[in-house]
Amino acid sequence: MDAMELKAHAQKRAALWTKEPFDVATRDEVERLIAEDGDALVEHFYTDLEFGTGGLRGLMGPGTNRMNRYTVAQTTQGLAQYVLASDALTPSVAIAHDSRNRSPEFARVAAEVLAGNGIDVFLYPELRPTPQLSFTVRNKGCTAGIVITASHNPKEYNGYKVYWSDGGQIVPPHDAGIIEEVRGVQSMESVRWAGDEDQHRIHMLDVADDAAYLQTVKDLSLDQALRERGSDMPLVFTPLHGTGSASVIPALRNAGFRNVHIVESQREPNGNFPTVHSPNPEEGAALAEAIALAKQVGAQLVMGTDPDADRVGIAVPDNREASGYKLLNGNETGALLVHYVLRGRQQAGQLNTATDFVAKTIVTSNLMSDLGRSFGLQVHETLTGFKWIADAIRREEGQGRFVVGGEESYGYMIGDAVRDKDAVAASCLLAEMAHVAQASGTDLLGELEAIHREHGLYREALISQTRHGRSGKEEIATQMESFRTAPPMELAGEGIVELCDYRTSQRTTYPAGTSEAIGLPASNVIQFVTAEGSIVTARPSGTEPKIKFYFSVRMSPEELANHSSYTEAQQELDLRIDRLKEALGIKA
């Protein structure tokens, strides 16, 4: 459609929202958009908010292309139809929500629609973290689960993530099946709401369900001395106005940490996230208040979780930094956590090299793979997103046992009771790791350097570029297509020896030009590998209008040993990354 046709299409769709069954406030807002007759009207109505392979995520507001009670209701109707068509004898769905504006409302809407379709619902009455929902799906034997969250997105967003009976986010064939049902719900007239006679199907979860999850987290502890005596090590935690207040704080207390300092200005849940530009622990600014508090109390560890407490970012003491604390990236934290868990399990005689495995995603540092193999374990590499790690666990059920894994975007999982990234469990193990390191006369930076000296020094970087609106989507598509049709044969003087196109699931080796199957589901990702071992990956986000570029470079233990200092070796690798960025014309 051209611009005029698109506006006419949006106006026609918007007119339907000025009448019942839409509520008065929605009708008034849509009438205002129609009267203004600007780009906002088109953006709100030109298309339907897409239910992707994980669910919904988008800006809140009225319209077919926004998160609101009506798009949530229609989506839930489609999900209900799919659940009823499954082989579940007594279909049920667990629901949780985070601290975002309207999250409680959207959770209740979903519950009412499911109950109206004759499906039992297990609903958390207050905010709870995403990993707890994953646990609850399995603990209650549910057919599916829903979390109302937009993870770490800005305050204007909300989302709707769907889980299946294994506790993992939906993957084939369920994702395609649910998408088909959701697309078939074309109007609010198709939505079946719960009447008075259906309310008995909505079961409110309580403290017993919280206790079951917290006990599972506590059971992951590896240090006997900590379990017996607890810890007075000072640490700082911020929930960034999210569900960490209801989960991480009691979990740390349960794990024996008596000297936890909470950033009071960020303790209370608040969907406006008033003290941060973005509630994303991947961004250093989000931990600024926590680091300021850490300096006052001499904390050995700083931790912050995102609104649904599935991601955790950390900072550790470092007198070379102006703030006195160094922010670790997701790969560095992940390497520390994987090494600690594997070493602890090995020392306790709890590793089985015949069955146990580690899992990571294709954009996560290969250091995680190196660590897994050094302990004699298999390593499963998956597409980006924890749903694929959960899928790998499901496929190995009864044959292999998942031990630990993660992804570079600050998500980690220990054990398989939860089938999504779990910042609650990760926070407890990270605190334990810092406690054990301090007791042995070192710290987490010392532990990380020891890992690098044994397995190789890795440095990574991520550049995320946002493209807004319809034109932004087209720009990203054009950029990805150019990588496929005219790929570079060298980057910053490093010859390309391998090109992995995950959309076609083909790996091409150069200079021979021979290809082989990758063996993973199709995904819109391109990855370049150079002769020097550098890896550059381009991946459009599946949930945001962004394209992400991942860079990874490595120095062998032998090369590192020949450098005059560890810091200089890091700087040398950082310069290599800068040259790779420049070669692709990418600016931070």
Side-chain angles (χ1 to χ4, degrees):
M1 298 184 200
D2 62 24
M4 292 292 290
E5 290 172 326
L6 204 60
K7 178 169 282 191
H9 174 69
Q11 288 171 334
K12 183 177 179 180
R13 290 162 66 93
L16 298 174
W17 284 59
T18 63
K19 307 168 186 175
E20 292 186 345
F22 300 99
D23 62 86
V24 173
T26 297
R27 298 201 301 261
D28 288 347
E29 180 65 13
V30 173
E31 285 175 351
R32 183 187 65 78
L33 289 170
I34 292 172
E36 291 178 353
D37 198 27
D39 289 340
L41 175 67
V42 177
E43 289 294 340
H44 281 246
F45 284 98
Y46 84 96
T47 188
D48 293 332
L49 184 62
E50 183 179 1
F51 187 94
T53 54
L56 298 173
R57 187 178 296 182
L59 292 163
M60 288 182 281
T64 58
N65 191 35
R66 291 292 185 268
M67 279 289 297
N68 51 66
R69 63 183 289 110
Y70 304 105
T71 52
V72 167
Q74 288 185 217
T75 295
T76 306
Q77 180 62 44
L79 174 62
Q81 291 165 190
Y82 187 81
V83 167
L84 290 171
S86 72
D87 57 4
L89 294 177
T90 54
S92 61
V93 177
I95 303 176
H97 68 81
D98 70 2
S99 62
R100 288 181 177 274
N101 296 326
R102 304 193 70 181
S103 281
E105 174 193 355
F106 294 161
R108 187 71 200 189
V109 166
E112 294 284 340
V113 173
L114 289 165
N117 280 269
I119 297 170
D120 283 320
V121 177
F122 295 95
L123 176 65
Y124 276 105
E126 297 176 336
L127 77 172
R128 290 295 182 269
T130 286
Q132 186 167 341
L133 182 279
S134 173
F135 171 83
T136 302
V137 168
R138 293 170 54 77
N139 195 44
K140 293 291 187 184
C142 294
T143 316
I146 300 168
V147 178
I148 305 297
T149 178
S151 189
H152 56 286
N153 283 66
K155 65 182 180 181
E156 295 83 7
Y157 284 79
N158 214 323
Y160 179 112
K161 292 199 294 188
V162 179
Y163 293 73
W164 202 242
S165 57
D166 66 327
Q169 290 187 55
I170 51 172
V171 295
H174 300 302
D175 54 359
I178 295 171
I179 288 170
E180 183 177 355
E181 291 289 350
V182 169
R183 287 176 178 169
V185 181
Q186 294 294 311
S187 68
M188 286 302 298
E189 284 71 25
S190 301
V191 176
R192 293 192 286 275
W193 294 89
D196 292 342
E197 70 280 7
D198 300 308
Q199 294 299 318
H200 71 282
R201 294 192 178 278
I202 302 177
H203 312 278
M204 305 307 292
L205 296 168
D206 57 27
V207 292
D209 300 287
D210 294 332
Y213 171 65
L214 289 174
Q215 185 61 49
T216 299
V217 171
K218 184 177 182 179
D219 290 343
L220 295 171
S221 173
L222 293 164
D223 187 65
Q224 183 69 26
L226 175 65
R227 292 196 298 271
E228 292 175 354
R229 297 190 288 275
S231 174
D232 290 312
M233 179 190 72
L235 61 91
V236 166
F237 173 70
T238 173
L240 295 176
H241 306 290
T243 59
S245 61
S247 54
V248 177
I249 293 174
L252 287 169
R253 187 185 312 118
N254 207 30
F257 291 96
R258 296 182 289 264
N259 197 5
V260 181
H261 300 264
I262 310 300
V263 179
E264 292 299 332
S265 62
Q266 298 173 338
R267 180 195 286 262
E268 292 303 314
N270 189 327
N272 291 319
F273 311 113
T275 65
V276 290
H277 171 70
S278 174
N280 185 357
E282 295 181 59
E283 299 177 7
L287 295 185
E289 291 197 23
I291 289 173
L293 176 59
K295 291 174 68 176
Q296 295 176 27
V297 301
Q300 286 297 302
L301 179 66
V302 176
M303 298 186 292
T305 54
D306 65 348
D308 64 324
D310 63 352
R311 301 168 192 255
V312 56
I314 72 171
V316 295
D318 186 353
N319 56 22
R320 294 167 297 185
E321 298 287 330
S323 68
Y325 285 82
K326 178 179 177 60
L327 294 157
L328 298 190
N329 66 37
N331 285 307
E332 292 167 331
T333 303
L336 283 165
L337 191 59
V338 167
H339 184 260
Y340 179 76
V341 171
L342 294 183
R343 183 178 60 187
R345 294 282 178 88
Q346 184 183 66
Q347 291 172 348
Q350 297 173 354
L351 276 189
N352 184 339
T353 56
T355 60
D356 293 356
F357 68 93
V358 168
K360 64 174 280 288
T361 68
I362 59 174
V363 297
T364 299
S365 173
N366 283 335
L367 178 54
M368 203 173 286
S369 300
D370 296 344
L371 289 168
R373 294 189 182 104
S374 74
F375 283 89
L377 305 189
Q378 295 183 35
V379 177
H380 288 248
E381 189 168 75
T382 74
L383 294 176
T384 306
F386 252 77
K387 67 178 184 177
W388 297 112
I389 293 179
D391 187 51
I393 297 171
R394 180 186 61 80
R395 291 174 182 274
E396 290 289 332
E397 211 96 58
Q399 305 172 68
R401 183 181 66 164
F402 172 79
V403 180
V404 64
E407 62 181 3
E408 54 74 40
S409 57
Y410 295 62
Y412 319 103
M413 187 162 66
I414 307 101
D416 62 3
V418 170
R419 300 292 175 90
D420 205 349
K421 49 188 177 290
D422 186 349
V424 184
S427 294
C428 290
L429 264 293
L430 289 166
E432 178 176 317
M433 189 193 322
H435 166 84
V436 170
Q438 184 185 52
S440 62
T442 183
D443 56 23
L444 293 188
L445 286 182
E447 291 286 329
L448 185 61
E449 180 175 348
I451 290 170
H452 284 152
R453 290 197 177 279
E454 181 177 356
H455 301 280
L457 174 60
Y458 284 81
R459 298 288 280 180
E460 285 88 18
L462 167 65
I463 299 296
S464 184
Q465 298 182 332
T466 301
R467 304 280 192 269
H468 295 289
R470 301 183 305 280
S471 62
K473 288 183 179 180
E474 293 170 0
E475 287 176 32
I476 291 172
T478 300
Q479 196 169 17
M480 290 298 291
E481 193 58 30
S482 69
F483 288 141
R484 292 188 165 94
T485 57
M489 286 296 97
E490 64 91 24
L491 291 171
E494 300 183 26
I496 302 296
V497 295
E498 196 174 282
L499 186 153
C500 297
D501 186 345
Y502 289 90
R503 191 176 71 180
T504 61
S505 295
Q506 290 291 308
R507 176 183 289 106
T508 304
T509 304
Y510 299 102
T514 55
S515 296
E516 63 178 2
I518 291 175
L520 292 174
S523 182
N524 188 18
V525 178
I526 288 281
Q527 191 170 75
F528 303 101
V529 182
T530 76
E532 285 74 10
S534 302
I535 301 173
V536 179
T537 308
R539 183 181 77 88
S541 171
T543 56
E544 306 168 76
K546 293 181 177 180
I547 182 169
K548 297 181 178 182
F549 295 92
Y550 305 80
F551 300 86
S552 178
V553 295
R554 179 181 184 269
M555 180 181 292
S556 71
E558 295 75 21
E559 291 175 283
L560 178 56
N562 289 330
H563 272 73
S564 58
S565 79
Y566 179 64
T567 300
E568 284 185 10
Q570 291 176 311
Q571 292 170 346
E572 181 179 314
L573 290 184
D574 289 342
L575 288 173
R576 272 180 63 185
I577 290 176
D578 288 342
R579 290 193 292 269
L580 290 169
K581 292 177 187 176
E582 186 178 351
L584 281 173
I586 296 169
K587 297 180 180 179

